[in-house]
Amino acid sequence: MIPVNTPLLAGNEAKYLQECIDTSWISSEGPFVKRFEKEFAAYNNRKYGVAVANGSGALDIAVRALGLPEGSEVILPTFTIISPAASLIYSGLKPVLVDSKPDSWNMDVDQIEAKITSKTKAIIVVHIYGLPVEMDKILELAEKYDLKIIEDAAEMHGQEYNGQRCGSFGDISIFSFYPNKHITTGEGGMIVTDDDHLLERCQSLRNLCFKKEQRYVHDELGWNYRMTNLQAALGVAQLENIDKHIEKKREIGRAYNEYLKPIQHKIQLPLANTEYAENIYWVYGLMTESTAQRDALIGELRKQKIGTRTFFWCMHEQPVFKKMGLFENESYPNAEKLARNGFYIPAGLGIEPDQIKTVADTLIKAVNEHI
Ligand SMILES: *Cc1c(COP(=O)(O)O)cnc(C)c1O
């Protein structure tokens, strides 16, 4: 079996975990948490990091921390994981969607301005699958309409947009450390910001909003989204190798690009570069012309014990949001095509070169049979 993802735990992970056990520091009060926050913030050229239990929780906190008036509209791509839209709903905000670009699979920044109303207060930028969103246009709109930027850089550790770190663009930015991200803590996430006030808000929201002067008294509801010392120990070890991880992901991507050249007229490969970035291949995504083609390929790979995963499902087609009366009669053709025809193949950090070759050979054979 070649699973769709295997993490790489080849550094000081075991040593630092042992340290947690030897010192009995396993809760969020342990010293690795602060160390991980400090080192990860510095890596991203941010002043502050707030470590949390997962990336979705990081988004819940980031959105809430901005304190936008209830009913405010926030623009985000329809093609993404559900977490950013869910965070908006939890905070009484209204998600407003834009379509994706067919080449980079990122939000189409040219569709944003037409969606801005007097109620629009923020944009959630979600960098998708390894390439960043075109930030120049976002920054220009944020300035022109006085909008906050929440940056979901969950898939974008170490990526740069025109030489500037992804995760350093938002008023507030978040990362995830799920095992398929470029560095992992098992489950985990981090909020980064340069703003003292937002730092304090995030720290409070992650810890149930205990009143400073009086524990167990609350003026506001928060969450228990604390990260444990065990998770942070993994994080510190992974961060030591982050540049190697990114290079390895790029090597995996380049290897597939090379192997799959013979079928690139039949199936869309990920863009290797844009004007502003080189792909870091969070996943190695592929697009067919039809759902039937995609499902046939997935079936053939499964027969050979090769794992795949279909792309995200659009926000405007989520049953849960339809039930809430959201996004009625809206359609976003590029994103719908991605959701219906896209899938990704094994490209995790733990994959071996011979496995990459096996996946590529099997895929080429399947494509030539079915397309
Ligand atoms: C992985 C991911 C998240 C959520 O992170 P979790 O740690 O799994 O909660 C959020 N946004 C994007 C774009 C992601 O890829």
Side-chain angles (χ1 to χ4, degrees), residues 63-64 84-95 321 324 326-327:
V63 166
R64 183 71 58 84
S87 297
L88 295 175
I89 302 290
Y90 297 149
S91 281
L93 304 170
K94 187 174 172 218
F321 292 144
M324 294 175 184
L326 288 167
F327 317 129

Side-chain angles (χ1 to χ4, degrees), residues 12-224:
N12 285 320
E13 287 82 359
K15 184 176 161 212
Y16 295 163
L17 280 174
Q18 188 64 47
E19 213 172 300
C20 297
I21 291 165
D22 291 344
T23 59
S24 300
W25 277 117
I26 55 174
S27 77
S28 60
E29 296 289 316
F32 279 116
V33 178
K34 286 204 173 59
R35 182 169 159 198
F36 186 35
E37 290 177 336
K38 203 164 155 235
E39 292 178 359
F40 190 72
Y43 179 79
N44 290 295
N45 302 315
R46 302 303 304 241
K47 255 164 111 174
Y48 306 118
V50 179
V52 292
N54 54 65
S56 304
L59 278 165
D60 289 342
I61 292 175
V63 166
R64 183 71 58 84
L66 288 175
L68 304 175
E70 196 158 327
S72 297
E73 295 173 8
V74 178
I75 296 172
L76 76 162
T78 187
F79 182 72
T80 177
I81 193 168
I82 197 156
S83 311
S87 297
L88 295 175
I89 302 290
Y90 297 149
S91 281
L93 304 170
K94 187 174 172 218
V96 174
L97 306 175
V98 294
D99 203 356
S100 310
K101 306 251 283 193
D103 53 355
S104 71
W105 307 337
N106 267 304
M107 69 195 294
D108 185 346
V109 294
D110 294 323
Q111 294 190 9
I112 295 175
E113 195 159 17
K115 295 276 180 147
I116 295 175
T117 72
S118 59
K119 286 188 176 170
T120 310
K121 295 287 183 259
I123 301 172
I124 302 186
V125 171
V126 189
H127 307 293
I128 298 283
Y129 290 175
L131 283 170
V133 171
E134 283 169 77
M135 289 308 301
D136 285 346
K137 185 77 192 217
I138 301 271
L139 295 171
E140 189 188 306
L141 290 171
E143 172 86 30
K144 184 168 168 192
Y145 294 98
D146 193 19
L147 307 175
K148 298 286 183 201
I149 298 174
I150 302 159
E151 188 183 10
D152 181 345
E155 307 172 0
M156 224 49 48
H157 313 67
Q159 177 58 295
E160 290 175 350
Y161 172 89
N162 277 337
Q164 185 183 335
R165 273 276 143 76
C166 292
S168 69
F169 286 96
D171 292 278
I172 195 160
S173 305
I174 74 97
F175 290 89
S176 161
F177 306 117
Y178 190 71
N180 62 1
K181 315 291 179 173
H182 289 73
I183 62 169
T184 184
T185 59
E187 300 285 349
M190 183 98 67
I191 305 148
V192 293
T193 184
D194 298 325
D195 184 297
D196 293 12
H197 171 68
L198 287 177
L199 169 71
E200 203 174 307
R201 292 281 299 140
C202 290
Q203 287 174 334
S204 175
L205 285 162
R206 121 183 112 174
N207 193 23
L208 298 168
C209 294
F210 285 116
K211 252 182 118 147
K212 272 219 162 102
E213 320 77 65
Q214 216 177 348
R215 203 175 167 84
Y216 305 115
V217 178
H218 307 261
D219 287 329
E220 189 187 353
L221 293 179
W223 295 271
N224 175 359

Side-chain angles (χ1 to χ4, degrees), residues 102-103 105 263-269 286-297 311 333-334 336-343 367 370-371:
D103 53 355
W105 307 337
I263 52 166
Q264 65 182 1
H265 56 294
K266 294 186 176 185
I267 188 167
Q268 184 186 341
L269 308 184
L286 296 160
M287 277 281 291
T288 56
E289 272 302 314
S290 72
T291 309
Q293 281 179 356
R294 178 191 69 178
D295 293 347
L297 299 181
F311 276 11
N334 294 335
E336 286 164 22
K337 213 171 151 211
L338 287 168
R340 283 166 175 72
N341 302 348
F343 69 108
V367 165
H370 291 276
I371 301 177

